[in-house]
Structure formats: structure tokens, C-alpha cells
Amino acid sequence: MNRIKAFSAASLIALGLGACATAPEAPPAEIAKLSDEAFKALIDPILAQRDVFKKPSLPRADQQLTDLLQRQDLTADQRAEIYYNRGISRGLYVRDYPLAFPQCAVMDYQEMEKLSPNHRLIDKMKDNRQYQFARAKFFDDAPAACVSGAAAYKAELGDCTGLRDEAGQCIIKYSY
């Protein structure tokens, strides 16, 4: 009788372990995305700090945009808009803070384009990207990572600003 009890107990344990091993894992909960209204409420106060008369706030605004990128609940378009705005600041307020250089700006534009190639601001970004590439040669004191990243991005684009027709042919070439 002891053998039967021992066999039954071992069988129950084996079945229990088998059930645990084959139990399907619950799918990870999808993170709810931030509404456009909530996003606007987060980004607008940051962008308001970029006023030229508030230069001490520029590094803080850059850091806040960088921190905002860490959020997991952003849509691709929202994340792309952050990169666009951070690129605008970095290209506009050159040398006002460590990453404020044209080369750093175009790296943000590259991220924007990867995330949302059809973003509502993409054409504005491409115009500004061409301008930042043209003036980058005047800022040879930019951070090395930005210089190398911008050079790689420019090589990737070739002599085209990124404006191409359906066949992939360049529509507008760099003018410098």
C-alpha cells in the first residue's frame, strides 16, 4: 500500500510540474498611449522655455525633452515631434549649451525621420536639416559624437536632402 501511495504522490507531483511547464504565459499588458491632448500639455511648457530671452532655461528644456523621450506611453508621432523640437532648439541656439550645434540637430532629425517618415512636420524638418548641414562646417567645436553621427547621416542621404520621387530619384540636391 505504501508503494501505491508513493507512486500516486509522485504521479501527482509530475502532473503538477508538467502543468506548470506548459501553462501559457499571459501576454504582456500593452501600454496605453498618451493622448494628443495630454502630450500637448506636457510639451508646450517645455517649448515655452526656449524663448531667446530665457537662455539659462535652454539646457533645462533640452534635458526635459530628453527625459520626455524616456516615456513608454508615447506614440511614434509624439516621439518624432520631440526629436523635431529638440533638433530645432539645438540648431537655433548654437553654443548656448553643450549639445546646441547643427550636427546634433541633424542627428535628432534623423531619429524623427526614422520614427515617422510621414509626420506632419517632416517637410519643415527637411528644410531645416538642409540649413543645418550647410552651416555645420562653421562649428568645428561640436561634440565629436554629433560630428561623426551627422557625417554618417549626410553620407546616408548622399547629395539629396531626402526629397525623392516615387522612383527614388533625388528631387532637390544640396546646394553647397
Side-chain angles (χ1 to χ4, degrees), residues 11-168:
S11 296
L12 286 173
I13 290 172
L15 281 173
L17 289 175
C20 290
T22 59
E25 290 185 25
E30 190 168 321
I31 298 172
K33 296 299 179 187
L34 194 62
S35 72
D36 288 336
E37 295 78 23
F39 175 71
K40 185 171 174 37
L42 286 173
I43 198 167
D44 282 354
I46 298 170
L47 299 181
Q49 295 178 62
R50 294 189 310 191
D51 186 310
V52 73
F53 300 110
K54 299 178 182 175
K55 286 189 180 188
S57 67
L58 293 172
R60 183 175 58 245
D62 188 87
Q63 185 59 53
Q64 289 172 334
L65 289 169
T66 302
D67 292 345
L68 196 53
L69 286 168
Q70 302 306 310
R71 291 183 63 118
Q72 300 299 310
D73 59 350
L74 298 173
T75 67
D77 280 350
Q78 291 165 349
R79 195 172 296 283
E81 189 167 333
I82 294 168
Y83 277 114
Y84 170 78
N85 281 296
R86 193 173 72 174
I88 289 289
S89 293
R90 289 177 173 184
L92 184 61
Y93 300 107
V94 176
R95 293 188 177 130
D96 282 348
Y97 55 98
L99 294 175
F101 285 91
Q103 297 90 331
C104 300
V106 297
M107 290 183 61
D108 278 346
Y109 295 154
Q110 181 181 30
E111 290 303 315
M112 177 200 185
E113 190 171 26
K114 283 179 191 175
L115 285 167
S116 187
N118 297 313
H119 195 280
R120 65 182 174 78
L121 296 170
I122 202 77
D123 290 336
K124 287 182 178 183
M125 179 278 290
K126 287 179 180 180
D127 287 343
N128 194 270
R129 177 181 66 193
Q130 182 173 0
Y131 173 65
Q132 297 303 335
F133 272 132
R135 66 196 288 248
K137 61 188 169 196
F138 300 111
F139 300 98
D140 57 0
D141 56 340
C146 292
V147 171
S148 62
Y153 184 32
K154 187 174 179 185
E156 179 184 313
L157 290 171
D159 65 350
C160 192
T161 64
L163 300 174
R164 301 178 185 274
D165 63 18
E166 286 117 22

